[in-house]
Amino acid sequence: QVQLVESGGGLVQAGGSLRLSCAASGRTVSSYVMGWFRQAPGKGREFVAAIRWGGGRTYYADSVKGRFTISRDSAKNTVYLQMNSLKPEDSAVYSCAVNKDYSSAYDQPGQYNYWGQGTQVTVSS
């Protein structure tokens, strides 16, 4: 029942910053968890960050902790991913997803119910 649309991807130099947005249409409730995943060519889908819709508790992969920040604007039904100090290995298609049950494993893509189409992030050296 939730549609997700990502935006904000593009090309950036190593060390630079980029901000991704994920706009959700449809009903969102406090129990939902919104997450960001990424997938690079030849690699599996990787957890990046997640946030509880209600309360705002956040979770990060070790690889991005301290560099990326996930946030939400409940009035706009939008989740953001602020990416700083970008590295070439951050290059991937970034997808937004929603997990209807916050008690599920937030870092497992199989636990998410809805997915956006993804936005490409390319970090050049």
Side-chain angles (χ1 to χ4, degrees), residues 3 14 17 21-22 33 35 41 45-47 52 68 74 77 79 91 100-103 109 113 115 122:
Q3 184 178 7
S17 298
S21 298
C22 174
V33 174
R45 209 174 202 106
E46 178 187 16
F47 169 75
R52 291 186 180 183
F68 291 9
S74 58
N77 271 9
V79 175
S91 297
K100 295 192 296 182
D101 184 3
Y102 70 86
S103 65
N113 306 98
W115 293 82
T122 302

Side-chain angles (χ1 to χ4, degrees), residues 25-56:
S25 62
R27 193 168 74 99
T28 56
V29 299
S30 297
S31 61
Y32 284 6
V33 174
M34 302 290 288
W36 286 98
F37 291 80
R38 65 187 184 186
Q39 187 167 25
K43 296 183 178 180
R45 209 174 202 106
E46 178 187 16
F47 169 75
V48 177
I51 186 169
R52 291 186 180 183
W53 196 253

Side-chain angles (χ1 to χ4, degrees), residues 6-12 18-21 36-41 83 86 88-96 117-124:
E6 303 95 335
S7 62
L11 176 65
V12 65
L18 207 59
R19 191 189 194 192
L20 306 182
S21 298
W36 286 98
F37 291 80
R38 65 187 184 186
Q39 187 167 25
M83 305 184 294
L86 283 164
E89 52 262 45
D90 293 320
S91 297
V93 174
Y94 284 71
S95 299
C96 182
Q117 62 184 359
T119 185
Q120 177 71 51
V121 172
T122 302
V123 184
S124 62

Side-chain angles (χ1 to χ4, degrees), residues 54-116:
R57 189 176 185 89
T58 58
Y59 310 88
Y60 296 96
D62 289 339
S63 59
V64 306
K65 195 173 299 181
R67 299 189 298 122
F68 291 9
T69 302
I70 188 171
S71 61
R72 78 199 195 287
D73 185 338
S74 58
K76 295 182 177 181
N77 271 9
T78 300
V79 175
Y80 304 96
L81 184 67
Q82 178 66 47
M83 305 184 294
N84 299 326
S85 302
L86 283 164
K87 307 173 182 179
E89 52 262 45
D90 293 320
S91 297
V93 174
Y94 284 71
S95 299
C96 182
V98 59
N99 183 340
K100 295 192 296 182
D101 184 3
Y102 70 86
S103 65
S104 299
Y106 59 84
D107 60 344
Q108 298 300 309
Q111 298 300 314
Y112 286 74
N113 306 98
Y114 307 104
W115 293 82

